Amino acid sequence: MRREIDFSLYLVTGRELLPPGKDYFESIQESLEGGVTVVQVREKTADTAEFLDIALKTKELCQKYDVPLIINDRLDIALAVKADGVHLGQTDMPVSVARQLLPAGTIIGVSCNNADHVKNAISEGVDYVGIGAVWGTATKKLTSPIIGVRGVGALLRELDNTGLKAVAIGGIKGANALRTLHGTVSTTGHGLDGVAVVSDIAGSTKPRDAARTLRDTVSAFKEQLQNELQASINVSYAKKDVLTSVSKLLNNVKAYKPLIHQITNNVVTTQSANATLALGASPIMATAPEEMKDLSRVLGALLVNFGTITSKEGMLLAGQFANEEKKPLVFDPVGVGATDFRRTTAAQLLNTWQASVIKGNAGELAALADSKEVQAKGVDTSGTGFSDPASFVKSLARKERCIIVLTGSTDWISDGNVVIRLDNGHPMLGDITGSGCMLGTCIATFCAGAYLKAVEDEPISERSLSTIVRGDMLLGAVGGVLALTIASEIAAQRVDVRGTGTFFPALIDELYHLTPDKLTQLAKIQIL
Ligand SMILES: Cc1ncc(COP(=O)(O)OP(=O)(O)O)c(N)n1
Ligand SMILES: Cc1nc(C(=O)O)sc1CCOP(=O)(O)O
């Protein structure tokens, strides 16, 4: 009978990576104590006798912890040690031949780098797939392209209803495991069964701790994904509750004055900083990579706006640290469709960190989603927009695993389940430079309010191990959009506003005078 395997933490051995003085078997034992659930012996240079010896001794250790043993590449070794399974690469022994040679019930896993590999693996009847490389790695010279976190979901989708298990491999470590697990979930809600790791465990002087961190992360994530799927069935948002909650976020911002770290473009820096101050928060416009870690600890939210990409390194690091601190990260991919450089930079950023909110106009979001329905014109959109904006935002939110804000005369917001339509705003917003960037600032500020609320409600939480960001980012996005658009309506009606020149300072005034009452009374909101 085939053994049911828990793939949560799949250790692939790496003897050549052991720290000086660390014994291989001691490292394996500590890894098992730390929570490894499967071990694969991978020996690329050992001769047959040495491989056999290592495999036999590793098996003894695995048996002590009731953990299955898989052998990489070598069917003869797997047969000799009566391993639980084998792992085969795309150019190794074909699965059909391996099945004939191995005893019934032997687990067979195959490496997959693209959807065709996965489809073949399904038709060959493998038990699991190893999807990689998901990140860059120094452990092995890669011969296939790096898939990236965002590319894995499409492969997992192929596995829907097959019962096949999947792990990701390549560059996974404690620091990026949660990001990897979250970002790889398919649009159908199919998540990884586990992560396969070499260097983060084998190269550690404390493999027990390294394994424990990874195992806890995977376990917490799996539980959370189950809850998330359940919640998406039962979800319901009432308009009144949304507005009451959004008002509380404004109160939080005013009470705590969170630091809003903005890596933004040099056209709008001053006005975005002023908008932040007007709402009651505190802006910092830092770009140097060297200060990102320190800032991540104290900030309330991070905004990455790449209108003028001057420090990609800073953007990458700031987002990574914000994720590690579970702080909101708002991404404004200004003009992403305009150049190849912007497209590849956006892909790199989104593969590295998990945005909490992505905000853009129709042209920008179409470019991100690879949709031909809407064309971008520089940083603007040409044409009338999406024929079904509600479905568009919902599906992009599922794909990117975050809140999507599609801006225009009507703003559309979705978390992948609910869609919220907002109809506030004044046409003069479109006639001043940087109003879109200020909207990103307002969203980041309200997201900081949502983060603060989560910390207030639940100061220390077991759950925070599995959450990629603390706080309800849907509310943060709604709050930010309402704040700027309602302030614009009030500003445009003022008698002292005679055109865009006087509109802009009036807009800052009205952000400054915004109250929870104005937000709730003037919001034109529909929950779909
Ligand atoms: C779990 C898992 N996934 C992928 C691989 C890579 O296997 P392969 O493509 O055969 O490459 P080598 O490991 O032989 O270099 C793996 N070993 N384990
Ligand atoms: C063995 C292996 N296979 C890969 C694949 O892409 O198929 S990547 C990889 C090495 C993974 O090592 P680390 O966890 O140290 O990055």
Side-chain angles (χ1 to χ4, degrees), residues 419-449:
V419 177
I420 297 183
R421 176 188 169 135
L422 300 174
D423 280 293
N424 292 95
H426 191 276
M428 259 196 282
L429 272 180
D431 294 332
I432 56 169
T433 190
S435 59
C437 302
M438 271 204 292
L439 184 60
T441 296
C442 293
I443 293 172
T445 304
F446 272 76
C447 285

Side-chain angles (χ1 to χ4, degrees), residues 144-432:
S144 304
I146 294 173
I147 302 169
V149 171
R150 287 156 79 236
V152 174
L155 274 58
L156 289 178
R157 210 179 152 155
E158 300 289 341
L159 298 175
D160 284 355
N161 308 315
T162 63
L164 255 76
K165 305 286 184 189
V167 293
I169 188 165
I172 299 172
K173 45 188 187 248
N176 65 20
L178 189 57
R179 160 71 188 126
T180 309
L181 291 159
H182 267 281
T184 47
V185 176
S186 77
T187 49
T188 52
H190 197 132
L192 288 166
D193 294 286
V195 292
V197 174
V198 185
S199 55
D200 197 46
I201 298 178
S204 171
T205 50
K206 294 180 177 167
R208 189 187 294 102
D209 295 353
R212 174 59 55 208
T213 302
L214 286 157
R215 176 69 193 278
D216 287 350
T217 305
V218 176
S219 302
F221 166 78
K222 281 175 146 182
E223 196 185 319
Q224 203 226 265
L225 185 61
Q226 277 308 318
N227 294 339
E228 196 180 304
L229 296 175
Q230 200 52 44
S232 70
I233 300 165
N234 304 328
V235 79
S236 78
Y237 274 89
K239 181 174 152 177
K240 188 167 151 283
D241 296 341
V242 168
L243 293 176
T244 309
S245 304
V246 162
S247 298
K248 284 191 187 139
L249 303 189
L250 181 59
N251 286 336
N252 269 347
V253 169
K254 291 193 186 297
Y256 293 103
K257 304 194 182 323
L259 190 65
I260 311 299
H261 176 197
Q262 301 170 63
I263 305 180
T264 193
N265 70 76
N266 49 30
V267 183
V268 301
T269 313
T270 311
Q271 65 202 57
S272 291
N274 277 324
T276 316
L277 286 163
L279 283 172
S282 174
I284 180 161
M285 320 311 258
T287 54
E290 293 80 358
E291 55 189 345
M292 295 310 170
K293 191 166 182 64
D294 288 346
L295 280 173
S296 70
R297 298 203 177 105
V298 290
L299 58 80
L302 168 70
L303 169 69
V304 175
N305 167 315
F306 77 9
T308 47
I309 306 168
T310 43
S311 175
K312 189 164 82 171
E313 189 55 25
M315 291 177 179
L316 285 165
L317 280 176
Q320 272 176 292
F321 292 132
N323 278 176
E324 279 175 33
E325 296 288 331
K326 303 184 190 300
K327 302 280 178 74
L329 195 180
V330 177
F331 181 40
D332 189 352
V334 179
V336 61
T339 63
D340 265 350
F341 176 62
R342 278 172 197 259
R343 267 189 291 276
T344 50
T345 303
Q348 195 184 350
L349 295 176
L350 289 171
N351 267 320
T352 304
W353 38 246
Q354 175 69 58
S356 320
V357 179
I358 301 177
K359 170 246 139 207
N361 60 32
E364 289 159 349
L365 295 188
L368 261 195
D370 255 339
S371 159
K372 300 280 171 285
E373 199 187 337
V374 177
Q375 297 299 313
K377 197 176 72 184
V379 298
D380 296 320
T381 300
S382 66
T384 50
F386 294 103
S387 57
D388 183 357
S391 300
F392 174 79
V393 285
K394 197 168 175 173
S395 88
L396 189 57
R398 285 194 180 185
K399 182 159 168 255
E400 295 296 346
R401 307 259 309 138
C402 69
I403 309 298
I404 297 293
V405 179
L406 167 63
T407 59
S409 52
T410 294
D411 299 301
W412 301 86
I413 303 178
S414 180
D415 62 355
N417 294 311
V418 190
V419 177
I420 297 183
R421 176 188 169 135
L422 300 174
D423 280 293
N424 292 95
H426 191 276
M428 259 196 282
L429 272 180
D431 294 332
I432 56 169

Side-chain angles (χ1 to χ4, degrees), residues 42 132-133 137 139-140 142 169-171 197-199:
R42 179 174 180 269
T137 176
T139 300
K140 163 176 164 175
L142 297 175
I169 188 165
V197 174
V198 185
S199 55

Side-chain angles (χ1 to χ4, degrees), residues 7 54 84 90 112 124-126 178 193 286 291 294 303 328 415:
F7 282 95
I54 289 168
D84 296 279
Q90 286 294 322
C112 293
E124 287 167 335
V126 305
L178 189 57
D193 294 286
E291 55 189 345
D294 288 346
L303 169 69
D415 62 355

Side-chain angles (χ1 to χ4, degrees), residues 1-5 7 10-11 37-42 51 55 59 62 67-88 98-99 101-110 126-128:
M1 215 184 69
R2 192 159 302 171
R3 183 171 180 179
E4 190 61 35
I5 295 190
F7 282 95
Y10 187 152
L11 170 67
T37 58
V38 199
V39 174
Q40 177 191 132
V41 179
R42 179 174 180 269
F51 197 155
K59 187 180 175 192
C62 286
V67 161
L69 177 80
I70 309 278
I71 301 293
N72 179 258
D73 295 351
R74 296 279 298 269
L75 267 69
D76 55 343
I77 303 278
L79 282 165
V81 303
K82 297 190 174 52
D84 296 279
V86 291
H87 185 90
L88 302 170
R99 267 280 175 247
L101 295 173
L102 293 164
T106 305
I107 301 287
I108 300 185
V110 163
V126 305
D127 299 285
Y128 78 92

